[in-house]
């Protein structure tokens, strides 16, 4: 089946915030169709954390759209730019990653992206191959193509400058290095989040400076996490990991608000925009219940990242636990070892894998989200005794639960 240029534009721009310029994308698609030469699409990922979550997949899914239409997709791992540290959205200089951290995280990324992308046609590259080869004179020539005034047009740099907060000189090199990636790869399109628009436009500028046709800059929205407020982030505990177990993934997605659910449908699925609007109308006019539409969303996500059987089982388990208000089957058994006669419950939650950090554990407790043996545990300073052979049934929210045995060492 032949996909027209207009249909390609509808597929590729679905969910996008910026397409700069849209007419250039249409011209590039037309030229590609006439010549048979695929477009080169680039997305850069700095391996700053070991796990990808659904927020990352907003862009990866758009990469897949290009890939399904026959274009060449480059998943660029920023092993060189990771050493600089992306200053985007930061009000202070970002810590630089070590080479060991970069290598470990990059290996994880390579495994996880193929849950969405085709491993046979995806190009995985590392920008240290060319950025690491630039000498001092090369960097000076590159820096000469951009003014300090241009750099200060970037929102986070400008705000820090006006607030008299320090901006390290090496941070100016980050957008320059990202832009140079586009020059080397001769990109037709670069994708990024809305917070990356400055860097993407810098790529257009630097490509012109090198006598190349500038890339089209396409941005996608930053995805709010499960709290519906902050950007999805592992550090905030409001995320759904790509490799989340099926039951956990299904349950987390069912906690998304009815309003935010529609954005998840738009940017996390391949459902056409008009079909999503039709579902929204059905809900608003009472023909469908939002809970049923949300279950459909959760089921589709689990199917995509696991399989159909796992999705059916996760939905059944959700119905059993949440509709029937029963404990889940196969509650994990966890044993932790301590030296003292008592231990803070917040530390137990972290040791048992029920919270990602002490601060998250204390926050969950103060918000009334933690129960021990069915009783609320709302005091962040609460301690529990060690050495009992009887495990504690600890519940965190509606989805995280474990039987925790605390063993005291002699």
């Amino acid at each position: 089946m032949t996909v027209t240029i207009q249909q390609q534009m509808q597929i590729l721009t679905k969910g996008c915030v910026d397409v700069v310029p849209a007419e250039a994308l249409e011209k590039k698609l037309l030229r590609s169709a006439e010549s048979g030469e695929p477009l080169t699409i680039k997305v850069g990922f700095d391996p700053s954390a070991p796990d990808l979550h659904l927020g990352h997949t907003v862009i990866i899914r758009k990469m897949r759209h290009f890939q399904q239409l026959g274009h060449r997709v480059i998943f660029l791992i920023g092993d060189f730019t990771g050493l600089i540290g992306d200053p985007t959205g930061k009000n202070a200089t970002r810590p630089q990653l070590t080479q060991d951290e970069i290598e470990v995280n990059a290996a994880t990324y390579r495994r996880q992206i193929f849950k969405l992308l085709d491993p046979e046609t995806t190009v995985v590259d590392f920008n240290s191959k060319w950025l690491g080869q630039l000498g001092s004179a090369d960097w000076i020539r590159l820096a000469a193509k951009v003014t300090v005034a241009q750099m200060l047009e970037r929102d986070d740099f400008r705000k820090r400058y006006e607030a008299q907060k320090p901006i390290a000189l090496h941070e100016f090199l980050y957008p320059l290095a990202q832009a140079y990636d586009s020059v080397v790869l001769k990109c037709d399109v670069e994708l990024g989040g809305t917070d990356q628009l400055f860097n993407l436009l810098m790529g257009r500028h630097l490509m012109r400076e090198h006598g190349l046709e500038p890339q089209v800059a396409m941005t996608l929205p930053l995805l709010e996490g499960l709290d519906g407020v902050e950007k999805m982030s592992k550090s905030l505990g409001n995320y759904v990991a790509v490799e989340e177990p099926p039951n956990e993934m299904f349950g987390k997605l069912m906690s998304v608000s009815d309003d935010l659910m529609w954005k998840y449908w738009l940017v996390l699925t391949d459902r056409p925009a008009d079909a999503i609007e039709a579902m929204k109308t059905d809900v608003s006019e009472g023909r469908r219940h939002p809970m049923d539409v949300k279950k459909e969303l959760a089921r589709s996500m689990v199917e995509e990242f696991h399989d159909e059987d796992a999705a059916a089982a996760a939905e059944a388990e959700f119905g059993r636990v949440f509709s029937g208000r029963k404990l889940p089957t196969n509650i994990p058994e966890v044993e932790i070892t301590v030296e003292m006669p008592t231990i803070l419950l917040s530390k137990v939650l972290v040791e048992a894998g029920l919270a990602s950090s002490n601060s998250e554990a204390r926050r969950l407790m103060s918000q009334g989200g933690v129960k021990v043996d069915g009783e609320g545990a709302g005091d962040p300073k609460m301690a529990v005794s060690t050495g009992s052979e009887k495990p504690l049934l600890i519940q965190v929210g509606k989805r995280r639960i474990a039987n925790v045995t605390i063993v005291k060492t002699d």
Side-chain angles (χ1 to χ4, degrees), residues 54 105 112 146 276 293 361:
L54 293 187
N105 294 348
Q112 293 176 340
V146 183
I276 296 170
V293 177

Side-chain angles (χ1 to χ4, degrees), residues 77-96:
I77 296 176
D79 57 335
F80 186 94
T81 41
L83 293 171
I84 300 174
D86 184 2
T88 300
K90 303 298 175 184
N91 57 16
T93 301
R94 184 171 184 163
Q96 295 164 263

Side-chain angles (χ1 to χ4, degrees), residues 114-387:
F114 295 132
K115 288 181 175 291
L116 286 176
L117 298 179
D118 177 9
E120 297 298 321
T121 59
T122 302
V123 178
V124 178
D125 217 334
F126 297 80
N127 64 8
S128 62
K129 284 169 55 177
W130 48 86
L131 291 174
Q133 299 304 311
L134 295 179
S136 300
D138 298 317
W139 278 106
I140 291 171
R141 279 191 289 269
L142 199 57
K145 297 182 181 298
V146 183
T147 67
V148 172
Q150 282 177 293
M151 285 296 181
L152 290 178
E153 289 175 6
R154 180 168 158 157
D155 189 53
D156 42 16
F157 284 155
R158 178 178 51 79
K159 287 178 179 177
R160 284 162 64 183
Y161 181 76
E162 291 174 350
Q164 297 185 341
K165 292 185 177 180
I167 303 171
L169 188 58
H170 78 281
E171 294 181 87
F172 280 170
L173 298 179
Y174 189 94
L176 195 60
Q178 181 174 334
Y180 189 65
D181 293 340
S182 296
V183 172
V184 172
L185 296 170
K186 296 181 173 60
C187 294
D188 290 298
V189 177
E190 183 174 11
L191 303 174
T194 51
D195 58 348
Q196 289 286 319
L197 182 59
F198 178 91
N199 293 357
L200 273 56
L201 295 177
M202 182 62 69
R204 285 176 56 80
H205 168 75
L206 211 57
M207 291 180 80
R208 286 195 200 96
E209 290 290 316
H210 283 80
L212 299 172
E213 180 183 287
Q215 65 186 13
V216 173
M218 297 179 65
T219 69
L220 289 117
L222 303 178
L223 185 67
E224 293 87 352
L226 302 176
D227 56 7
V229 178
E230 300 289 344
K231 182 176 78 168
M232 187 174 285
S233 166
K234 188 170 183 180
S235 63
L236 295 175
N238 65 352
Y239 69 102
V240 182
V242 165
E243 295 186 320
E244 201 91 58
N247 290 355
E248 188 78 4
M249 179 178 285
F250 193 98
K252 281 187 172 184
L253 288 166
M254 289 302 296
S255 73
V256 172
S257 71
D258 291 352
D259 288 338
L260 184 57
M261 166 180 69
W262 300 114
K263 185 172 183 179
Y264 276 44
W265 267 112
L266 183 67
V267 299
L268 294 179
T269 77
D270 291 336
R271 191 73 59 95
D274 55 354
I276 296 170
E277 283 301 314
M279 279 195 298
K280 199 170 183 179
T281 300
D282 285 345
V283 169
S284 65
E285 295 180 358
R287 288 188 292 274
R288 293 193 68 180
H289 195 284
M291 177 70 78
D292 294 332
V293 177
K294 201 178 299 181
K295 282 182 180 178
E296 187 178 343
L297 171 67
R299 187 168 58 246
S300 70
M301 289 288 95
V302 177
E303 281 182 10
E304 185 158 49
F305 292 103
H306 294 282
D307 56 44
E308 192 174 337
D309 290 341
E315 184 174 9
E317 178 72 353
F318 179 85
R320 196 186 77 82
V321 174
F322 294 93
S323 299
R325 301 193 179 279
K326 298 178 182 178
L327 290 175
T329 55
N330 301 318
I331 297 174
E333 301 285 340
V334 179
E335 182 177 294
I336 63 175
T337 303
V338 298
E339 297 179 353
M340 305 298 290
T342 62
I343 181 175
L344 289 172
L345 180 60
S346 58
K347 291 186 177 181
V348 173
L349 298 183
V350 176
E351 291 289 328
L354 297 171
S356 61
S357 65
N358 287 326
S359 59
E360 185 198 10
R362 289 191 294 269
R363 176 175 58 79
L364 290 166
M365 292 174 69
S366 63
Q367 291 175 348
V370 178
K371 290 182 179 180
V372 177
D373 290 334
E375 298 292 329
D379 182 359
K381 296 180 180 179
M382 176 180 173
V384 293
S385 301
T386 63

